[in-house]
Amino acid sequence: MARYGQSPWLERYPRSRVPAYPRLKTPVSTDVAIIGGGLTGCAAAYAFAAAGVKVVLIEAEQVGRASSADAFGWLADVPPGGFHQIEQSLGLRASRRAWQAWRRAALDFSALLRRLEVRCALEPRHSLVIGRTVEQAAALKREARARKDAGLDAVLANARQARPEAGTDVTAAIRTRDGATLDPYRAALGLAMAAVDRGAALFERSPVKRIRTGPTAVAVVTADATVTAYRVIVATGRPTGLFPSLVRHVTPRHTYLALTDPVPARVRRTLGAMTHVLVDSADPAHFVRWVDDERLLVSGADGPAATPGARARTLVQRTGQLMYELSTLFPDISGLAPSHGWDALYGETADGLPYIGPHRNFPRHLFAFGGGAHSVTEAYLASRILLRHYLAETDPVDEVFGFTRG
């Protein structure tokens, strides 16, 4: 029977090994305070601590157990949407910079997790973006041409070339090569522990009540104590109630995920290679990958955030919808049952890129908003951009992800 409402990443991690960090109960002074203990906050805590910056991370609940633990678990080497879409919003130069930065972040994030020996089921996985209609094939050809015109890699495969790999009927496909898949919860915990090893202080179950900004410092106030810092980083994925004026930048959305029961070996052999993440051209898109080389994980059916009262009913309905849509991609799995169905809340921006960096209305603040459901690459990207802002060593690419872009 399917289990609803909790991702398998949490279920697979032994309860006895879940780290416990203290509540914030006494005043603390630091260089940087990070609000949010998801993958982005943990990556930032490690980056700052490794750079010799005194850092404190404050999490309202438990590290890694919110949106990060619900994620699809893909280190995508390309930004959300397509190059053509981003180019229309930002122009050629900015779009090329965003594209190159994203690919570099995917490679560097994988290298960091390996270097830190974080055991998070990290596996190299290229992606295959497929079209299944004549119109979708034409759109993929335009996308490939836009990437090539910008000097970027774009491997376009026709139906005959892509069909054996995709394991489904396709009209065309674009292949990328530098992505990876992982267990996002284990990745967050591993980065948190690495940050502590470098001197970071982590506090759980300490929701922030308010933030006071002064001429030389910022005070982050929880129920029991205050953190005084030179700068504060807000890595909550979406603006919280502390920043109502920033809500307009990010729209809350839900994506839904279903993990199948083990696929019989005879069926697995018909589904193509197991070394890629499959993305179709539907609207909203479906993301499909293998877990443990025997289960299919599908994400999609994105829509507005569901109300708490409707969540349980919606989860069951959307899980069934995803399993049906998965069977239209791979008819041989028809009748296979789901083992898990859950949802992930994320923030959608107008152009698909996250907002990372300062905002003119909030001195001494740095933000990381947007993304995080399908790809987790922006967590590492944000950690590097935020550190550069703090050190006043910004790169031209950082402007592409700032609040002043466009």
Side-chain angles (χ1 to χ4, degrees):
M1 180 177 292
R3 294 181 284 281
Y4 294 101
Q6 180 170 291
S7 81
W9 316 129
L10 289 174
E11 188 177 285
R12 290 169 171 221
Y13 198 89
R15 288 182 177 272
S16 60
R17 291 179 51 205
V18 174
Y21 298 101
R23 296 176 187 266
L24 180 65
K25 294 184 177 180
T26 58
V28 177
S29 293
T30 188
D31 297 327
V32 172
I34 298 174
I35 301 173
L39 199 49
T40 300
C42 292
Y46 174 79
F48 278 77
V53 179
K54 188 178 180 182
V55 61
V56 169
L57 184 147
I58 310 162
E59 163 57 33
E61 298 298 334
Q62 287 181 276
V63 167
R65 295 184 72 88
S67 296
S68 293
D70 294 328
F72 181 71
W74 178 31
L75 259 173
D77 56 346
V78 295
F83 183 84
H84 185 63
Q85 172 188 326
I86 298 174
E87 184 184 12
Q88 288 181 320
S89 298
L90 302 181
L92 176 60
R93 179 181 295 182
S95 301
R96 184 165 50 219
R97 285 175 173 170
W99 211 262
Q100 292 168 337
W102 207 275
R103 176 177 175 271
R104 184 75 259 163
L107 291 169
D108 289 348
F109 200 0
S110 290
L112 174 65
L113 292 170
R114 290 191 185 95
R115 187 169 69 251
L116 295 177
E117 298 182 350
V118 176
R119 296 183 178 180
C120 58
L122 180 69
E123 293 288 345
R125 291 284 185 268
H126 66 277
S127 68
L128 198 67
V129 182
I130 64 169
R132 305 190 74 205
T133 67
V134 173
E135 293 77 14
Q136 291 173 354
L140 288 178
K141 290 176 183 177
R142 288 194 298 272
E143 172 68 15
R145 186 164 54 250
R147 295 188 196 181
K148 287 182 178 179
D149 290 346
L152 304 169
D153 290 339
V155 180
L156 183 68
N158 60 30
R160 180 181 58 81
Q161 295 166 329
R163 173 64 177 82
E165 182 178 6
T168 187
D169 291 330
V170 299
T171 54
I174 291 178
R175 186 185 295 110
T176 68
R177 58 195 171 126
D178 295 318
T181 56
L182 48 69
D183 178 326
Y185 179 55
R186 287 176 181 264
L189 292 188
L191 288 170
M193 289 185 275
V196 170
D197 289 343
R198 289 287 192 141
L202 272 62
F203 297 96
E204 293 181 323
R205 297 183 176 88
S206 303
V208 174
K209 302 297 184 183
R210 61 186 179 277
I211 301 173
R212 298 194 301 262
T213 305
T216 60
V218 60
V220 180
V221 183
T222 70
D224 300 312
T226 297
V227 176
T228 303
Y230 175 72
R231 298 200 83 165
V232 60
I233 291 172
V234 183
T236 52
R238 301 165 304 281
T240 65
L242 297 172
F243 306 98
S245 63
L246 299 183
V247 169
R248 64 185 178 87
H249 292 287
V250 183
T251 302
R253 299 269 289 176
H254 269 148
T255 190
Y256 295 85
L257 302 97
L259 181 68
T260 70
D261 280 340
V263 180
R266 60 178 176 77
V267 176
R268 291 202 302 272
R269 288 192 290 269
T270 71
L271 301 185
M274 295 187 181
T275 58
H276 63 271
V277 174
L278 187 76
V279 184
D280 70 8
S281 299
D283 186 18
H286 296 92
F287 302 80
V288 184
R289 73 176 180 95
W290 288 97
V291 175
D292 302 331
D293 290 338
E294 65 173 5
R295 298 171 184 261
L296 286 171
L297 172 60
V298 56
S299 175
D302 297 28
T307 61
R311 186 184 179 208
R313 182 176 67 254
T314 303
L315 275 177
V316 175
Q317 186 271 326
R318 294 297 174 87
T319 298
Q321 176 186 340
L322 283 174
M323 292 299 296
Y324 167 75
E325 291 167 351
L326 187 63
S327 71
T328 65
L329 282 171
F330 306 115
D332 287 346
I333 71 159
S334 295
L336 188 67
S339 67
H340 294 77
W342 73 101
D343 59 351
L345 183 62
Y346 68 99
E348 182 180 67
T349 65
D351 56 21
L353 297 180
Y355 286 104
I356 305 168
H359 191 283
R360 64 184 181 184
N361 295 339
F362 297 92
R364 298 193 176 277
H365 288 63
L366 294 171
F367 298 95
F369 291 151
H374 305 116
S375 167
V376 297
T377 308
E378 56 265 42
Y380 179 85
L381 180 66
S383 73
R384 306 314 301 175
I385 292 176
L386 294 168
L387 180 61
R388 289 197 293 265
H389 276 292
Y390 177 80
L391 297 175
E393 298 175 355
T394 54
D395 185 276
V397 72
D398 299 344
E399 298 178 9
V400 178
F401 298 98
F403 286 92
T404 58
R405 69 175 181 258

